[in-house]
Amino acid sequence: GWIYQNMAVFARLMQLPRENIMDENQNVTPQRVDQANNEIARAIENNHSPFYLLARIGTPNFNKAVQNCTFNQTLVNQGQIACALQRHHLAHGNYPETLDALVPQFIEKLPHDIIGGKPLHYRRTDDGNFLLYSVGWNEKDDGGQIAFMRGTTVDHEKGDWVWQYPTQ
């Protein structure tokens, strides 16, 4: 019976992140993800019942998993916009002033920034390219600056999530 009790506790704890990860518009709020992760950790740490044994052993780090999923979906959204920008560039010889110029000819609908739900940030640069970025996990507009942990390793918790041009 204790295995079934452990499974019930684990299932109840796993509802917290599911209910708190995304809002009705499919936006992720890092603070809500952190709160859900902290609630799970508190529930596990404060309960020494044998029915929490499997939860203590098998609870994943939702914070990192959601962060990775959100980052990857942001890359997909940025990739869609980058392709539309390239198509605009091929057709007109330059990048548009705003992303709205891409709709509907080059992209059906502009994807939004998953973090916060606002439009992705875009501007043309002086070198004839463009800067496209999300505010990232810190929910703060850092002006398109990427944060690095050490060397060339990008820190996904700090700085903006910037569309990187492929190396040629």
Side-chain angles (χ1 to χ4, degrees):
W2 75 273
I3 290 176
Y4 292 119
Q5 289 289 342
N6 269 271
M7 290 169 60
V9 165
F10 190 76
R12 186 173 42 81
L13 289 174
M14 295 306 106
Q15 291 298 314
L16 288 170
R18 191 178 129 289
E19 295 166 354
N20 289 306
I21 288 175
M22 287 189 168
D23 65 14
E24 62 279 352
N25 296 318
Q26 303 297 305
N27 297 318
V28 174
T29 306
Q31 280 184 324
R32 289 174 63 183
V33 175
D34 289 341
Q35 285 173 343
N37 213 31
N38 291 338
E39 284 180 47
I40 291 170
R42 273 194 305 276
I44 292 171
E45 290 169 9
N46 294 335
N47 197 317
H48 301 291
S49 163
F51 303 137
Y52 279 74
L53 178 66
L54 293 180
R56 278 199 277 304
I57 295 170
T59 302
N61 182 348
F62 284 105
N63 211 8
K64 196 54 131 174
V66 172
Q67 186 183 94
N68 285 335
C69 289
T70 305
F71 176 75
N72 289 333
Q73 184 60 52
T74 298
L75 285 180
V76 169
N77 293 350
Q78 289 174 337
Q80 290 176 330
I81 293 173
C83 288
L85 285 166
Q86 286 304 114
R87 291 175 57 212
H88 183 281
H89 190 271
L90 289 171
H92 300 286
N94 61 11
Y95 294 110
E97 286 290 326
T98 67
L99 292 176
D100 293 330
L102 301 173
V103 180
Q105 184 178 4
F106 300 105
I107 192 169
E108 186 177 318
K109 180 183 173 196
L110 289 170
H112 64 276
D113 191 346
I114 296 171
I115 297 179
K118 295 181 180 171
L120 288 163
H121 296 270
Y122 164 81
R123 69 175 173 267
R124 295 191 310 188
T125 59
D126 294 335
D127 63 358
N129 285 316
F130 62 87
L131 178 64
L132 178 65
Y133 65 94
S134 162
V135 293
W137 200 250
N138 66 1
E139 300 181 82
K140 189 176 99 190
D141 185 355
D142 294 309
Q145 294 297 312
I146 301 171
F148 293 98
M149 285 194 269
R150 55 192 174 281
T152 58
T153 304
V154 176
D155 186 347
H156 294 298
E157 292 185 21
K158 299 175 185 158
D160 294 330
W161 294 347
V162 180
W163 174 255
Q164 301 287 309
Y165 294 100
T167 54
Q168 315 240 333

